[in-house]
Amino acid sequence: MINFTYENPTKIIFGRGAELKVGEEVKKYSSKVLLHYGGGSIKKTGLYDKVINSLKQAGVEVVELGGVMPNPRLGLVNEGIKICREKGIDFILAVGGGSAIDSAKAIAVGVPYNGDVWDFFSGKAEAKEALPIGVVLTIPAAGSEASPNSVITKEDGLYKRGMYSELIMPVFSIMNPELTYTLPEYQTACGTADIMAHIMERYFTNVTHTDLTDRLCEATLKTMIKNVPIALQEPDNYNARAEIMWAGTVAHNGLLGTGRIEDWASHNIEHEISAIYDVAHGAGLAVVFPAWMKYVYKNNLDRFVQFAVRVWNVEMNFDEPERTALEGIERLKKFFKEIGLPVSLKEMNIGDDRLEEMASKCTNGGNSTIGSFVKLNREDVYNILKLAR
Amino acid sequence: MINFTYENPTKIIFGRGAELKVGEEVKKYSSKVLLHYGGGSIKKTGLYDKVINSLKQAGVEVVELGGVMPNPRLGLVNEGIKICREKGIDFILAVGGGSAIDSAKAIAVGVPYNGDVWDFFSGKAEAKEALPIGVVLTIPAAGSEASPNSVITKEDGLYKRGMYSELIMPVFSIMNPELTYTLPEYQTACGTADIMAHIMERYFTNVTHTDLTDRLCEATLKTMIKNVPIALQEPDNYNARAEIMWAGTVAHNGLLGTGRIEDWASHNIEHEISAIYDVAHGAGLAVVFPAWMKYVYKNNLDRFVQFAVRVWNVEMNFDEPERTALEGIERLKKFFKEIGLPVSLKEMNIGDDRLEEMASKCTNGGNSTIGSFVKLNREDVYNILKLAR
C-alpha cells in the first residue's frame, strides 16, 4: 500500500423523493443559480418542474442554460461562464448525467478565472478557486456527482481532455434511483461500462498489498454484475437501480483508489475515440478495455487471475493459470455483449483509417506514454486499437 | 435499500511519515490548540516530540492536557472545557486512540455550550456548534478518527453513553501504520474486535436488497481476518498494519451503513460491562457479540447463512442451512479466541452478580428496548449476558 490523502466532502442525499430537497440544499449556498442541463428528457419526465418548484419554494432565483450534449463541449462552457459573470450567479446546479455535471464543473472553475478555461484542461493552469456546484443525478455512469474530475471536448481539433481539482467536487448530490427508470437500455449499458471501467482502472495496479481496496473493488464490480441484468429486464426495479446508482458513486469517489497507483490508459484511449466519432463514452470503453487487457495481461498475470477468480467466479486452473486469466477477460467481454454493448470498433462503424491519428493524439504525438500498469507508447496504443477492431 | 444521507468530510492523511504534517494541517485552522492525549506511550515512542516539533515549526501554540484513560471520563472532559475557555483555545488535537479522540470531541462540543456537556450524552440537548478537531491516530479500533460519534463515561453511577453529531467529525486524521507497531498484542486484538463489531452492527439488518453494502462489509471483514494474524505474528509488518488501520476507518466512517438500518445492541450491552468493570471495550465485544448472535440468529437465518458462507467460507449446507449459520458464529468465536481475546464473561473475571443490573441499566430500567435486528428488552439482554457467561 502506498501513502495517500483522501477527502470527499460531497453530501449524498439518496433515495425516493430526494429531488424534492434540492431547493433547501441550494439555499444554504446561494439565492441565484445557473440551472444547467441537457436536452428535453428532464422536461418529459417531470423532473424539470419538480426542481424548478423546489427552487422557487426556497426563494432561489433561476437562470437556465440547457443544451449540454454527450461529450460536453467547450463552447457551451464559455457561454455558461459569460452568463454567470453577467448576472452575478454564484452557484451552478447540474441536473442530468456526467455531461451536465462536467460542463457545470468547467463553468464553476471558469467564472473566477482570468483567462481561458481550457487552460485547466490543457494543463496550462491549476484551479485556485471555483463556484460551488450541486447535482441532481439522472444517469449512473460518470461518477462525476462525487468526483474531482471534469472532461470537456474542445471543438477545434476535437480534443477531449480532463481536469482534476478538489475545488470542483459537488457540495451535494441528490440521487433518486427512480429518476433512472426511463433511461434507455443502451444508456444503462453504457453507464455500466463506465462504472465498471472506473473500478478496473484502479484494480489493475502493480502496487502490492492492497487487500482492502482490492476487495472493495471486487465488491462493487460484483454488485454491478448482479444488478445490471435485472435493471435491463425490469427498468423500474427500484432495488436494482439503487444498487447501480450507489455503486456508480462508490466506483469513482476516490475510496477504491486509496493506497494504489491507478492506470487510466483505457480511458485515455477511449477519449480519442469519442472525441472524433462522438460515440458514447461507455460504449467506447466496452470496446477498449478488453483489448487493453489482452495486450497487457502477461505483465502481471497474478492480478488478472485474481480478477477472474474473485470477480467472475472462474475456477482456478492451477496448472495453467494463464487460462484462468484469459477466461476472466472473456467473461467481461461476454457480459458487455449480453447487456447490449459493442465490443469491437467495427460494431461502432469505426474503420481503420484514423487509428494512427488517435494513437498519436493520445500520446502527444508519440512524445509521451499513457497508463501506469504498463506504460504505453504510441505504438502500443495503435496495437491496442488494432486488437479492438 | 432505504433512503439515506451520507457525508464524511474528514481528510485522511495516510502512510509513512504522515505525522510530520500535523503542524501544517493544524495551522489551517488555528494558532493555539489543546493537545489531548492519554498516558506515556506517545512519549516513549517519540511521537510526542515529533508532534510538538511539527506544531512549533508551524507556529502553533500548544496547551497540553494528557491523562485520558480507556473508557474516557467526564471529569477530564470538563477539565478540558475549562482550560479551552480560560485560554481562548479554538482547536483540539487528539493524539492517541478512540479514548483520546472521544474525549477531545466531548471537549470540542462542550466549550461553546452554555450548560453541562453531559446533556449531549444523556440526550437532553443537541449540539449546535463545536470547535474543530484534528487527530493523530495511534490505535486502529474505535473508528472515531472519521466518525460523528463520541462515547464518554460519567463517573457518578458509571454511565457510559454515546453522542452523535456531524459537528464532531475530525477535520483531518493523520494515520501512519508504523505508529501501531508498538501496540501490545492484546490491544491489537481488542481493536480488531471493535472494528469487526462496527461492521457487524451494520451487517445484521433486516433491510433487504443491500447488495453493495453487504459486499463492502464482507470485503472489510475478510481484510481483517487475513491481516490481523499476520500483524500479531509480525508486529512491524507495515502492510498488515496498514490494512487493519484503513479497514478500521472504513468500518466506521458511515459508508457501510448506507441504505441499511443498523443494530448496535451488542455495543449497548458491552457499554454496560465496561462501564462497571472497566474492561477493554473490544474484549467486551468479543464476549457479547457471539452470545448476541446465538440469541437472535433464528430471526433471520438467511443473513447468518450469508455471513457464514461469504465471510468465513463455510460450505453451504443446503439440507440444513441452520448448521451453516451456526458454523459461521463458531468461526467468529474461534477467530476471537485465536487472536487472544476472551469469549466469555468468566474469562474476564466477571461473575453473575450484576447481570440483572446491567440488563436494567441497558434498557432504561426495563422501560426501553435496544437493537433493531431484533428489539431486545431487559429480559433479552439478561438472557444474552447469561449466554455470555
Side-chain angles (χ1 to χ4, degrees):
Chain A
M1 202 190 296
I2 59 166
N3 285 6
F4 66 86
T5 300
Y6 179 65
E7 189 176 10
N8 194 317
T10 303
K11 177 181 181 181
I12 306 289
I13 302 157
F14 192 102
R16 291 188 165 95
E19 68 276 20
L20 303 177
K21 294 183 183 153
V22 65
E24 174 192 329
E25 289 298 321
V26 167
K27 188 66 185 178
K28 293 176 188 168
Y29 298 90
S30 170
S31 296
K32 192 174 183 183
V33 305
L34 184 75
L35 178 63
H36 198 42
Y37 57 95
S41 69
I42 66 165
K43 293 195 175 166
K44 252 189 285 176
T45 61
L47 175 60
Y48 173 86
D49 291 334
K50 282 188 197 166
V51 168
I52 290 285
N53 285 339
S54 175
L55 291 168
K56 209 175 274 178
Q57 275 175 24
V60 174
E61 190 185 332
V62 178
V63 177
E64 289 191 34
L65 180 62
V68 184
M69 307 289 283
N71 301 319
R73 303 298 168 117
L74 184 61
L76 195 69
V77 169
N78 280 321
E79 202 180 323
I81 293 169
K82 200 167 151 240
I83 294 172
C84 288
R85 285 180 184 159
E86 280 172 10
K87 310 217 168 186
I89 291 169
D90 58 2
F91 189 96
I92 323 283
L93 177 65
V95 180
S99 298
I101 304 168
D102 282 10
S103 186
K105 286 173 169 178
I107 295 170
V109 83
V111 172
Y113 179 61
N114 214 346
D116 184 352
V117 68
W118 187 251
D119 291 350
F120 301 123
F121 295 85
S122 66
K124 212 174 123 188
E126 202 176 310
K128 297 271 182 270
E129 50 180 330
L131 300 185
I133 305 146
V135 170
V136 179
L137 186 67
T138 60
I139 308 173
S144 193
E145 66 276 10
S147 84
N149 306 99
S150 167
V151 179
I152 297 292
T153 298
K154 187 179 186 176
E155 296 87 340
D156 175 18
L158 292 173
Y159 284 97
K160 186 172 179 180
R161 292 289 177 266
M163 72 164 281
Y164 171 99
S165 166
E166 285 176 8
L167 294 167
I168 57 172
M169 302 193 78
V171 291
F172 68 80
S173 281
I174 287 174
M175 300 168 63
N176 177 357
E178 293 171 321
L179 300 178
T180 70
Y181 289 176
T182 53
L183 277 180
E185 277 184 29
Y186 187 65
Q187 219 169 343
T188 298
C190 287
T192 299
D194 200 11
I195 291 167
M196 291 176 72
H198 289 155
I199 305 166
M200 295 187 297
E201 296 280 18
R202 294 172 166 102
Y203 191 76
F204 291 100
T205 184
N206 298 310
V207 176
T208 53
H209 299 289
T210 50
D211 289 342
L212 178 61
T213 42
D214 274 6
R215 289 203 180 271
L216 296 176
C217 286
E218 291 155 2
T220 313
L221 285 170
K222 283 168 98 94
T223 300
M224 293 297 292
I225 293 164
K226 173 177 171 187
N227 284 284
V228 169
I230 298 174
L232 289 173
Q233 282 179 359
E234 306 165 20
D236 55 355
N237 184 312
Y238 181 84
N239 288 300
R241 291 290 193 182
E243 295 290 347
I244 295 166
M245 199 173 208
W246 193 212
T249 304
V250 170
H252 203 41
N253 71 1
L255 175 67
L256 304 189
T258 53
R260 311 169 75 92
I261 294 171
E262 306 181 1
D263 189 67
W264 298 101
S266 299
H267 261 74
N268 281 317
I269 297 172
E270 195 296 312
H271 284 171
E272 301 309 331
I273 300 175
S274 53
I276 292 180
Y277 296 98
D278 207 19
V279 297
H281 174 54
L285 285 167
V287 170
V288 171
F289 230 114
W292 174 83
M293 287 177 161
K294 278 192 188 149
Y295 194 74
V296 304
Y297 79 92
K298 285 184 186 164
N299 290 272
N300 187 339
L301 189 64
D302 289 349
R303 187 125 284 265
F304 277 90
V305 171
Q306 181 181 314
F307 176 69
V309 172
R310 290 216 201 138
V311 176
W312 298 100
N313 299 319
V314 178
E315 192 171 14
M316 176 71 194
N317 184 330
F318 290 95
D319 299 326
E320 297 173 279
E322 189 172 347
R323 287 193 194 274
T324 310
L326 286 169
E327 177 62 23
I329 299 171
E330 270 317 299
R331 294 221 187 153
L332 172 68
K333 206 166 166 176
K334 193 164 158 257
F335 179 79
F336 283 156
K337 259 191 207 168
E338 282 172 358
I339 65 173
L341 290 171
V343 289
S344 66
L345 291 170
K346 204 175 155 196
E347 289 169 82
M348 295 198 294
N349 299 313
I350 295 174
D352 291 359
D353 49 323
R354 300 181 78 173
L355 302 189
E356 281 183 34
E357 178 191 347
M358 290 189 274
S360 178
K361 277 171 83 177
C362 193
T363 53
N364 189 23
N367 291 314
S368 58
T369 62
I370 59 166
S372 77
F373 184 74
V374 177
K375 283 195 195 307
L376 304 171
N377 61 24
R378 178 164 55 184
E379 201 188 330
D380 295 318
V381 174
Y382 179 67
N383 288 335
I384 289 169
L385 286 167
K386 278 200 296 183
L387 274 177
R389 282 186 296 185
Chain B
M1 202 190 298
I2 60 168
N3 286 7
F4 65 85
T5 299
Y6 178 66
E7 190 176 9
N8 194 317
T10 302
K11 177 181 180 181
I12 305 290
I13 302 157
F14 192 103
R16 291 187 166 96
E19 69 274 20
L20 303 177
K21 294 183 182 154
V22 64
E24 175 192 328
E25 289 298 321
V26 167
K27 189 66 186 178
K28 293 175 187 166
Y29 298 91
S30 171
S31 295
K32 191 174 182 183
V33 305
L34 185 74
L35 177 63
H36 198 42
Y37 57 95
S41 69
I42 66 164
K43 295 197 175 165
K44 252 189 286 177
T45 60
L47 176 58
Y48 173 86
D49 290 334
K50 282 188 197 166
V51 168
I52 290 285
N53 285 340
S54 176
L55 291 168
K56 208 176 276 178
Q57 274 174 24
V60 175
E61 190 185 332
V62 178
V63 177
E64 289 191 34
L65 179 62
V68 183
M69 308 287 283
N71 302 317
R73 304 299 168 115
L74 184 59
L76 194 70
V77 169
N78 280 319
E79 202 180 323
I81 293 170
K82 201 167 151 240
I83 294 172
C84 288
R85 284 180 185 158
E86 281 173 7
K87 310 216 168 185
I89 290 169
D90 58 3
F91 189 96
I92 323 286
L93 177 66
V95 179
S99 299
I101 304 168
D102 282 10
S103 186
K105 286 174 169 177
I107 296 170
V109 82
V111 172
Y113 179 60
N114 212 344
D116 184 352
V117 69
W118 187 251
D119 291 350
F120 300 123
F121 295 86
S122 65
K124 213 174 123 188
E126 203 175 309
K128 297 273 181 269
E129 49 180 330
L131 301 185
I133 306 145
V135 170
V136 179
L137 186 67
T138 60
I139 309 174
S144 193
E145 66 276 10
S147 85
N149 306 99
S150 167
V151 179
I152 296 293
T153 298
K154 187 180 184 175
E155 296 87 341
D156 174 17
L158 291 174
Y159 284 96
K160 185 172 179 178
R161 293 289 177 268
M163 73 164 281
Y164 171 98
S165 166
E166 285 176 7
L167 294 167
I168 56 172
M169 301 193 79
V171 291
F172 68 79
S173 282
I174 287 175
M175 300 167 63
N176 177 355
E178 293 172 321
L179 300 178
T180 69
Y181 288 176
T182 53
L183 277 180
E185 276 184 31
Y186 187 64
Q187 220 170 341
T188 299
C190 287
T192 299
D194 199 11
I195 290 167
M196 291 176 73
H198 290 155
I199 304 167
M200 296 188 294
E201 297 280 18
R202 294 174 166 101
Y203 191 76
F204 291 100
T205 185
N206 298 310
V207 176
T208 54
H209 300 289
T210 49
D211 289 342
L212 177 60
T213 42
D214 274 7
R215 289 204 181 270
L216 296 177
C217 285
E218 291 155 3
T220 315
L221 284 170
K222 284 169 96 96
T223 301
M224 293 297 294
I225 293 163
K226 173 177 171 187
N227 285 284
V228 169
I230 298 173
L232 288 174
Q233 281 178 1
E234 306 165 19
D236 55 355
N237 184 311
Y238 181 84
N239 289 300
R241 292 291 193 183
E243 295 289 347
I244 295 167
M245 200 172 206
W246 192 212
T249 304
V250 170
H252 202 41
N253 72 0
L255 175 67
L256 303 190
T258 52
R260 312 168 75 92
I261 295 171
E262 306 180 1
D263 189 67
W264 299 101
S266 299
H267 262 75
N268 280 316
I269 297 172
E270 195 295 314
H271 283 172
E272 300 309 331
I273 300 175
S274 53
I276 292 179
Y277 295 99
D278 208 18
V279 297
H281 175 54
L285 285 167
V287 170
V288 171
F289 229 114
W292 172 85
M293 287 178 160
K294 278 193 187 148
Y295 193 75
V296 304
Y297 78 91
K298 286 184 187 166
N299 289 272
N300 188 338
L301 189 63
D302 289 349
R303 188 126 283 267
F304 277 89
V305 171
Q306 181 181 315
F307 175 69
V309 171
R310 290 216 203 138
V311 176
W312 297 100
N313 299 320
V314 178
E315 191 170 14
M316 177 70 195
N317 183 329
F318 290 95
D319 299 325
E320 297 173 281
E322 190 172 346
R323 286 192 196 275
T324 310
L326 287 169
E327 177 63 21
I329 300 171
E330 270 317 299
R331 294 220 187 152
L332 172 68
K333 205 166 165 175
K334 193 164 157 260
F335 178 79
F336 283 156
K337 257 191 210 169
E338 283 172 358
I339 64 172
L341 289 171
V343 289
S344 66
L345 290 171
K346 205 176 155 196
E347 289 170 80
M348 294 197 294
N349 299 314
I350 295 174
D352 291 358
D353 49 324
R354 299 180 79 173
L355 301 189
E356 280 183 35
E357 178 191 347
M358 289 189 276
S360 178
K361 277 171 84 178
C362 193
T363 54
N364 189 22
N367 291 313
S368 59
T369 61
I370 59 165
S372 78
F373 185 73
V374 177
K375 281 194 196 311
L376 305 171
N377 61 25
R378 176 164 56 185
E379 202 188 329
D380 295 319
V381 175
Y382 179 67
N383 288 334
I384 289 168
L385 286 167
K386 277 201 297 185
L387 274 175
R389 282 184 299 184

